[in-house]
Amino acid sequence: MWYFLNVIFNILNKKIYNYFPYPYFVSVIHLVVGVVYCLISWAVGLPKRAPIDSTLLKLLIPVAFCHALGHVTSNVSFAAVAVSFTHTIKALEPFFNAAASQFILGQSIPITLWLSLAPVVIGVSMASLTELSFNWTGFISAMISNISFTYRSIYSKKAMTDMDSTNVYAYISIIALLFCIPPAVIVEGPQLLKFGFNDAIAKVGLTKFVSDLFWVGMFYHLYNQLATNTLERVAPLTHAVGNVLKRVFVIGFSIIVFGNKISTQTGIGTCIAIAGVALYSYIKAKMEEEKRRTKVA
């Protein structure tokens, strides 16, 4: 379900950017729809709203900030380059995750695991060099989102104490929305009021414009909710790998739907990166299995 919702979100999101290139505003809409969804869910008691205190709020603010930053920079990248290219760069997430686990959390990452990430880095570099839609805005934004989401993953684990993941994600969405509104108003506000909204309505009509924004927000919220529920059940590194395999789906579908032309080298680079992730997942799974066995023994 997480993969399926993510594919639909990515395709609809890019279709919106093709006629309405305002990633800061669209990022806010994604979160607004999600927050309204959470408030209605709480109102009907599905789930029951968990009370929040200042201690938990302090834990959630860094998570929400990383979520907001990663979200906006991902969208800037989606608007600037092909969806398949943004997801190829974002395949570097396990690399950032491994670095953070070793240097921030102090967990030792064995050399075999580091070596398995080499193909991912090489593959992404190859794909980037010959990507037809390449530009620096798209590339740098996707890299910033990698770092942001790595920190979000680490802080999320710390914050997931007693509260269930559905409530945690609802609070994160509300706080992240507060972080996203000011830059959207400052960066895109004047353009939107002058011609942004009018241009979009002239191109597709008011009904389609509003319904596209509503549905893209809905799919965004639901796929993230499922991703958070998954994170509750697995380690951050495993989650990062699941995220990369999800990119295989998204890259494949986006190339088919948008008919993106990709160079041979970009295709090979993407495949090498994904193969690296598969190798990494295999080694990681074996290590976790051995840890479990030694605990049992």
Side-chain angles (χ1 to χ4, degrees), residues 107-245:
Q107 298 169 352
S108 67
I109 304 285
I111 191 73
T112 44
L113 212 53
W114 280 112
L115 290 173
S116 73
L117 287 167
V120 184
V121 178
I122 293 161
V124 170
S125 310
M126 273 179 71
S128 304
L129 288 171
T130 54
E131 167 59 40
L132 304 173
S133 74
F134 183 91
N135 66 45
W136 283 107
T137 307
F139 180 79
I140 292 165
S141 300
M143 288 299 262
I144 293 169
S145 87
N146 272 339
I147 297 163
S148 307
F149 286 143
T150 295
Y151 275 99
R152 181 189 70 179
S153 191
I154 289 164
Y155 287 131
S156 293
K157 272 290 179 191
K158 287 181 183 171
M160 257 182 211
T161 43
D162 308 320
M163 198 186 283
D164 64 288
S165 60
T166 306
N167 271 299
V168 167
Y169 185 63
Y171 283 120
I172 289 171
S173 297
I174 294 165
I175 305 164
L177 176 59
L178 301 176
F179 281 123
C180 287
I181 291 170
V185 172
I186 296 161
V187 177
E188 293 176 347
Q191 291 166 291
L192 283 169
L193 294 173
K194 252 190 218 159
F195 45 78
F197 292 127
N198 294 337
D199 285 358
I201 292 161
K203 281 176 196 161
V204 296
L206 181 62
T207 315
K208 180 170 166 50
F209 181 47
V210 173
S211 80
D212 276 0
L213 290 175
F214 169 73
W215 283 113
V216 83
M218 226 27 225
F219 285 120
Y220 172 77
H221 179 77
L222 292 173
Y223 102 71
N224 268 295
Q225 180 61 70
L226 280 166
T228 310
N229 293 150
T230 311
L231 179 60
E232 193 178 34
R233 292 165 175 80
V234 298
L237 284 166
T238 315
H239 193 256
V241 170
N243 230 344
V244 173
L245 296 178

Side-chain angles (χ1 to χ4, degrees), residues 53-64 155-156 158-161 172 175:
D53 56 20
S54 58
T55 318
L56 186 60
L57 190 63
K58 277 179 195 153
L59 284 172
L60 288 182
I61 285 172
V63 182
Y155 287 131
S156 293
K158 287 181 183 171
M160 257 182 211
T161 43
I172 289 171
I175 305 164

Side-chain angles (χ1 to χ4, degrees), residues 1-75:
M1 278 303 287
W2 170 25
Y3 286 17
F4 171 70
L5 291 168
N6 193 263
V7 166
I8 296 175
F9 161 74
N10 274 281
I11 289 167
L12 183 53
N13 206 36
K14 186 62 179 178
K15 282 186 170 171
I16 291 170
Y17 288 135
N18 287 342
Y19 70 79
F20 184 68
Y22 295 94
Y24 288 83
F25 177 77
V26 174
S27 300
V28 167
I29 293 296
H30 291 156
L31 290 167
V32 166
V33 174
V35 166
V36 171
Y37 177 92
C38 293
L39 296 175
I40 292 168
S41 302
W42 278 341
V44 297
L46 288 167
K48 271 177 74 72
R49 186 178 77 82
I52 188 166
D53 56 20
S54 58
T55 318
L56 186 60
L57 190 63
K58 277 179 195 153
L59 284 172
L60 288 182
I61 285 172
V63 182
F65 177 75
C66 294
H67 183 64
L69 181 63
H71 177 49
V72 172
T73 48
S74 290
N75 276 287

